[in-house]
Amino acid sequence: MLFRSQDATGGIAVKMDATDLYLAYPEGMQVFIRLKGCWLGDYGGLLQLGAGVDRSDSVYPRLLSIPVPLFAQIIVKGKVDNIITPKEVSIQQLSDSLQNCLITIPQVEFIASDTSRHWADINNQQAVNHVITACNQGSIYVRTSGYAKFASAKTPRGNGSITGIYTVFGWEKQLILRDTSDVRKIGRAHV
């Protein structure tokens, strides 16, 4: 599972061998990462920090997750009131320097075929991508895990702003929501 951390200089995804990481590392918790012995990897263009490299496939080596027994040695917990203010950017301004950072994109809406649909595949617990567009100024996927607590809720109709964690996979730009409250409608719905 990926744990994401951000400070004033940028964000990083940390590959950790556990689920429900939000219980041990709640949103807003300040963390310090000891980098000695860690490795940087690339998964589809997304930078990640992990515990080593599996070279069993010489063509496609893969970054190993940090095992549970090493969590406390690598991730040092700090105070919990560290609130990150999202940076407001347009779709055109998205760049690698914003990977794993909390951002807000104003004046967007889901394309018509992606409105009023479940955020994710609730039957198979599969992730789903929905497309948002910014007044013909570009588009980005909003990716939601089938395990998200809000997977069964439906995507909204209308224009507004959206806040999420910016990621990439291959050439595709993606936004990962923390909760449906990250979608704010403004103005009237477009038909």
Side-chain angles (χ1 to χ4, degrees):
M1 178 150 244
L2 290 180
F3 167 79
R4 291 182 167 84
S5 183
Q6 176 180 345
D7 67 11
T9 63
I12 187 77
V14 182
K15 195 169 179 184
M16 300 174 75
D17 192 20
T19 58
D20 298 327
L21 291 169
Y22 67 94
L23 296 172
Y25 306 98
E27 182 178 335
M29 175 179 275
Q30 184 179 34
V31 296
F32 302 90
I33 301 173
R34 293 185 177 122
L35 298 175
K36 186 173 182 176
C38 291
W39 291 72
L40 275 178
D42 171 325
Y43 181 73
L46 182 70
L47 292 176
Q48 298 178 343
L49 185 70
V53 178
D54 176 358
R55 291 188 172 94
S56 59
D57 182 339
S58 61
V59 178
Y60 298 106
R62 66 181 182 90
L63 186 67
L64 296 171
S65 297
I66 298 170
V68 174
L70 296 181
F71 283 9
Q73 293 174 27
I74 295 174
I75 308 292
V76 179
K77 295 180 180 183
K79 60 184 179 177
V80 181
D81 61 353
N82 184 39
I83 303 302
I84 300 291
T85 301
K87 180 177 184 176
E88 187 171 302
V89 297
S90 68
I91 291 175
Q92 294 82 11
Q93 292 172 314
L94 295 173
S95 67
D96 284 345
S97 67
L98 293 172
Q99 279 191 23
N100 297 301
C101 289
L102 188 64
I103 62 166
T104 295
I105 305 173
Q107 300 177 352
V108 294
E109 63 187 342
F110 286 92
I111 61 172
S113 61
D114 279 340
T115 59
S116 299
R117 300 198 45 203
H118 292 288
W119 284 99
D121 180 345
I122 55 177
N123 295 324
N124 299 309
Q125 292 186 310
Q126 296 288 319
V128 171
N129 288 344
H130 296 290
V131 178
I132 57 170
T133 185
C135 302
N136 298 322
Q137 301 270 335
S139 62
I140 183 174
Y141 287 111
V142 176
R143 185 165 178 81
T144 306
S145 165
Y147 294 98
K149 290 184 192 245
F150 58 93
S152 64
K154 299 214 175 167
T155 56
R157 170 176 288 165
N159 187 284
S161 66
I162 191 165
T163 298
I165 300 165
Y166 173 61
T167 66
V168 296
F169 184 74
W171 299 107
E172 303 297 338
K173 297 176 179 182
Q174 301 177 336
L175 199 60
I176 310 290
L177 298 185
R178 299 169 299 170
D179 190 87
T180 56
S181 65
D182 283 337
V183 180
R184 304 225 185 256
K185 289 176 68 171
I186 55 175
R188 291 180 32 159
H190 295 273
V191 180

